[in-house]
Amino acid sequence: MRNWAGNVNFASATVHRPTTIAELQAVVASAASVRALGTGHSFNRIADTTGALVLLDDLPRQIDVDSQARTVTVAGGIRYGELAAELDRHGVALHNMGSLPHISVAGACATGTHGSGDRNGNLATAVRGLELVTAAGDITTLARSDDGAQFPGAVISLGCLGIVTSLTLDVVPAYQISQTVYENLAHDRLDDGFDAIMSGGYSVSLFTDWQRPVFDQVWRKSRVETPDPHRAHEQPATPPDWHGATAAPGPRHPLPGLSDRAGTVCTEQLGVPGLWNQRLPHFRLEFTPSHGEELQSEYLLPRVHAVAALRAVAELGSLLAPVLQVSEVRTVAADDLWLSPSFERDCVAIHFTWVKDETAVGSVLVAVEDRLAEFGARPHWGKVFVMAADQLAPLYPRLDDFVRLIDRFDPGRKFRNRFVDACLGRP
């Protein structure tokens, strides 16, 4: 078995696909070591194990919407695109989505995956409760309202506390989004205008390869008020110029050279209003996301350092050129989740989509991480990074508390693996 990018061959010789929670409990209870695998969109070995590998795809496809409580309880293995379609049928929505609707809810929350938007926390901030199978095969539930002392440590858990079978998420009334792509935003526009640009939409993404002093594309996603049913055919005007960038005349793909596929694989653009779940992701659920032949890295650092950090990355342009496909810049709101890359600080996220060459990318990452270290950059847990435990530990003030949480839930370290051990620096 391999991950989506094809750069990880999973080491487990035993793969389980339980069809009931009871079967899952039996697998976990009997295994010496075990990890859960979601949709395989992680680019490192966070889901790997030499023990039992468990896939949740065949468990009951639970999606229970409680419109009055404004929650949805969803099976952990369900993908965001599937969940969003069901929520829409009930007239409710999530506060945000990642760029890919293909990822599983449990996997995305466990790794701190996020979308974009100044006021939008990562996807895990919507979690109100969760159910997991712990080391002895028991079912444990945790709730934000009842387990406040430990709940912030259990949501982004890197899979270390147990296998999450369901999550209860906050939902909001359904809303519409329009999406417009602008081209050639000068880098120096951010010197004095970073806040205005990144707050200029519900979600804003900047794309560049750092070879020219411009962001080749700006994906601006804006909330649209519920239209008058008598004027539903009308579309809001798209400004032809935005902070010096010009509106793209046709659909665009974030990766260079793929815009001929944009109208098929990317969500609709050109300012056409649509449902939240059909605009917030960059890609459509029914098509292969992004490129496939790639590696990804991402670093989140305090928003106050955004302009200086972006300048620092731009200075590495010639070093990045041979291995970089595209870089994306987004913002994420602060949260209280212990292992969140945006823990207690509003962040700018600098994402890199690399060519699929681990050796070459690894050497470049050393330089990138060295340059971003002065800004306190935290890596995305599900992507490629080279930071060691002694570099990660100072970045997470609640790391010792999280290790104590592992001691409580999994004293025998059944859910640990080499990747997690290397990150935590503790046996």
Side-chain angles (χ1 to χ4, degrees):
M1 291 190 61
R2 310 178 81 183
N3 66 340
W4 171 75
N7 68 307
V8 173
N9 290 312
F10 293 105
S12 177
T14 307
V15 179
H16 299 270
R17 290 180 176 269
T19 59
T20 66
I21 299 298
E23 287 181 27
L24 173 61
Q25 291 176 268
V27 169
V28 172
S30 62
S33 61
V34 60
R35 294 288 286 181
L37 174 64
T39 52
H41 278 84
S42 291
F43 295 81
N44 56 41
R45 293 190 173 275
I46 191 169
D48 198 17
T49 180
T50 55
L53 193 64
V54 176
L55 281 73
L56 306 181
D57 308 39
D58 294 339
L59 289 176
R61 312 294 286 175
Q62 175 191 19
I63 303 179
D64 296 330
V65 178
D66 187 332
S67 299
Q68 185 173 1
R70 289 195 172 182
T71 63
V72 58
T73 299
V74 56
I78 286 179
R79 299 180 298 170
Y80 270 96
E82 301 170 77
L83 170 60
E86 181 64 21
L87 292 180
D88 181 58
R89 284 190 278 272
H90 290 265
V92 294
L94 299 172
H95 79 285
N96 208 354
M97 292 181 70
S99 59
L100 304 180
H102 308 72
I103 56 179
S104 69
V105 177
C109 290
T111 54
T113 297
H114 60 90
S116 185
D118 281 6
R119 299 180 181 179
N120 297 326
N122 65 40
L123 303 184
T125 60
V127 178
R128 182 182 291 193
L130 54 85
E131 176 187 276
L132 65 162
V133 175
T134 53
D138 300 325
I139 295 177
T140 296
T141 60
L142 294 169
R144 185 193 302 160
S145 58
D146 301 328
D147 302 283
Q150 62 184 356
F151 189 76
V155 179
I156 299 179
S157 66
L158 314 185
C160 293
L161 305 184
I163 295 182
V164 175
T165 53
S166 71
L167 303 97
T168 298
L169 310 177
D170 292 323
V171 297
V172 298
Y175 52 94
Q176 288 197 327
I177 295 283
S178 68
Q179 178 171 232
T180 302
V181 176
Y182 292 90
E183 298 179 304
N184 298 316
L185 173 72
H187 284 180
D188 59 15
R189 285 275 183 164
L190 271 63
D191 291 350
D192 298 316
F194 181 83
D195 289 338
I197 290 169
M198 300 310 291
S199 65
Y202 187 76
S203 168
V204 176
S205 294
L206 315 178
F207 291 92
T208 182
D209 62 5
W210 305 108
Q211 300 309 298
R212 299 188 301 140
V214 298
F215 291 98
D216 302 282
Q217 297 179 19
V218 178
W219 288 46
R220 182 189 182 202
K221 305 170 193 269
S222 303
R223 284 282 294 257
V224 177
E225 296 300 323
T226 303
D228 182 332
H230 301 293
R231 304 175 62 184
H233 63 286
E234 298 180 10
Q235 298 178 15
T238 298
D241 181 280
W242 192 65
H243 295 279
T246 55
R252 294 292 185 261
H253 193 291
L255 290 176
L258 294 182
S259 282
D260 60 328
R261 298 175 54 199
T264 301
V265 303
C266 295
T267 48
E268 192 166 0
Q269 303 162 25
L270 303 177
V272 179
L275 291 169
W276 59 282
N277 57 315
Q278 298 172 7
R279 296 294 184 275
L280 288 176
H282 296 337
F283 299 97
R284 301 175 192 255
L285 178 64
E286 60 267 31
F287 295 97
T288 300
S290 193
H291 196 289
E293 292 295 315
E294 63 191 55
L295 302 177
Q296 294 182 13
S297 301
E298 188 171 33
Y299 300 91
L300 289 85
L301 50 101
R303 182 193 176 99
V304 294
H305 300 316
V307 173
L310 294 173
R311 285 178 184 160
V313 174
E315 291 172 0
L316 298 175
S318 60
L319 178 67
L320 301 175
V323 293
L324 182 68
Q325 297 190 57
V326 74
S327 185
E328 181 179 9
V329 177
R330 294 178 283 180
T331 54
V332 186
D335 59 65
D336 66 346
L337 305 177
W338 297 351
L339 290 193
S340 170
S342 47
F343 176 69
E344 292 189 340
R345 63 191 199 187
D346 292 330
C347 285
V348 59
I350 307 175
H351 185 280
F352 302 90
T353 298
W354 311 105
V355 300
K356 202 171 90 174
D357 184 334
E358 289 186 286
T359 301
V361 169
S363 62
V364 171
L365 281 177
V366 173
V368 171
E369 292 182 3
D370 181 67
R371 188 63 63 92
L372 294 179
E374 65 178 290
F375 306 112
R378 297 167 175 162
H380 188 304
W381 293 111
K383 302 185 187 293
V384 181
F385 58 91
V386 295
M387 297 173 73
D390 61 341
Q391 296 168 295
L392 290 167
L395 300 173
Y396 290 93
R398 302 298 299 270
L399 187 61
D400 288 340
D401 293 326
F402 179 69
V403 173
R404 283 190 284 271
L405 201 59
I406 294 176
D407 290 338
R408 176 182 173 188
F409 279 82
D410 183 25
R413 301 297 195 261
K414 180 175 289 193
F415 297 106
R416 294 280 287 270
N417 63 9
R418 290 181 180 177
F419 176 87
V420 171
D421 287 345
C423 290
L424 301 183
R426 294 160 172 81

